[in-house]
Amino acid sequence: QVQLVESGGGLVQPGGSLRLSCTASGSIFSIDDMGWYRQGPGKQRELVARIASRTMTSRSTMYYTDSVKGRFTISRDNTKNTVNLQMNSLKLEDTGVYYCNSDPPYLAWGQGTQVTVSS
């Protein structure tokens, strides 16, 4: 089964940026949708961004939850089996552990990467 490894998290001040990377041990080409999830302190894990494997005519290729629209950008490279999340203008409420997985999530969860936004 494909294993996922997330990286790129860290401590950043409000307004700062981070770029998260997710590397899969196998091919993600056939996985229609890959997403980044976030689990904030005391909160349930939520999907924050999703990207389709190819351009879709029936729906948007990318999805963002309202709270990150205009600040986060998701991308994927099927040739490298990677999914990235560029996070700009970070806010305190973006703090949490970030995971990548398919959407819906049927792959084994990785260890995640901690993002802490604090002044």
Side-chain angles (χ1 to χ4, degrees), residues 58-94:
S58 59
R59 59 177 174 86
S60 297
T61 303
M62 288 174 280
Y63 159 86
Y64 299 95
T65 194
D66 286 346
S67 63
V68 309
K69 283 181 181 176
R71 301 188 297 120
F72 289 12
T73 302
I74 190 170
S75 60
R76 70 188 282 174
D77 186 334
N78 289 337
T79 64
K80 297 180 180 179
N81 298 316
T82 58
V83 184
N84 298 316
L85 186 68
Q86 177 66 43
M87 306 188 297
N88 299 326
S89 303
L90 283 161
K91 302 178 180 181
L92 297 176
E93 53 264 39
D94 294 320

Side-chain angles (χ1 to χ4, degrees), residues 5-48:
V5 178
E6 300 92 349
S7 62
L11 173 64
V12 64
Q13 293 185 336
S17 298
L18 285 173
R19 182 176 177 83
L20 306 184
S21 294
C22 171
T23 301
S25 62
S27 175
I28 62 170
F29 177 80
S30 62
I31 300 176
D32 284 343
D33 293 311
M34 289 294 297
W36 277 95
Y37 298 76
R38 171 174 70 197
Q39 186 164 19
K43 298 182 180 179
Q44 289 189 332
R45 194 175 297 175
E46 62 171 337
L47 177 70
V48 296

